Amino acid sequence: MIVGLIGFLIEYSIVSLFVNVFALSAYLPRFLSFPLALLITWQLNRKFTYRVSAPSSWSEFVRYLKVNGISQSSNLLLYAIGCSPLVGLSPLNALMLATLFSVVLSSCLYARFVFNKAKD
């Protein structure tokens, strides 16, 4: 959860900066914040959460990207719904709720499909 929190703080800071300081759309900053958070959390998860001693591999990275594709698709969908006029959350509140869901989902999928295979 700490790695997820770090990823969230990276995204929150970037979204907050671009929405509040530069008055940009609620959507554009996610295209910047997500790749940076992805790379940092992959390395932190490998080292600290799952303690993988095997060297990084392309197959592990591809599995990590697939899990993130699933979890971030749900994240972006929930974020868009939260920011929509129908729901009306602020971009940062929508980000918090969407991220909470995707952190739980991705943690379950990482343990099952990504990092357990790296230990084999």
Side-chain angles (χ1 to χ4, degrees):
M1 289 303 264
I2 291 175
V3 172
L5 178 61
I6 292 168
F8 170 75
L9 291 174
I10 291 166
E11 289 214 72
Y12 185 94
S13 298
I14 292 170
V15 169
S16 181
L17 174 71
F18 282 90
V19 168
N20 295 322
V21 175
F22 299 115
L24 291 179
S25 156
Y27 304 102
L28 180 62
R30 295 300 305 275
F31 290 103
L32 303 171
S33 65
F34 173 67
L36 181 60
L38 176 74
L39 292 172
I40 291 171
T41 59
W42 175 49
Q43 289 303 311
L44 292 174
N45 272 320
R46 281 193 106 258
K47 183 169 182 143
F48 299 110
T49 306
Y50 298 96
R51 295 190 170 111
V52 177
S53 59
S56 298
S57 69
W58 281 109
S59 62
E60 178 190 278
F61 185 67
V62 168
R63 290 191 309 269
Y64 192 81
L65 287 176
K66 286 178 184 178
V67 165
N68 272 282
I70 293 166
S71 67
Q72 287 304 313
S73 293
S74 66
N75 183 307
L76 291 172
L77 177 63
L78 291 173
Y79 180 75
I81 291 168
C83 289
S84 72
L86 182 64
V87 177
L89 294 176
S90 73
L92 297 177
N93 285 337
L95 176 63
M96 284 190 274
L97 291 174
T99 300
L100 176 63
F101 177 82
S102 68
V103 164
V104 171
L105 177 62
S106 62
S107 294
C108 293
L109 294 174
Y110 290 152
R112 176 80 172 117
F113 298 109
V114 178
F115 295 112
N116 73 334
K117 294 184 183 300
K119 292 180 180 178
D120 293 344

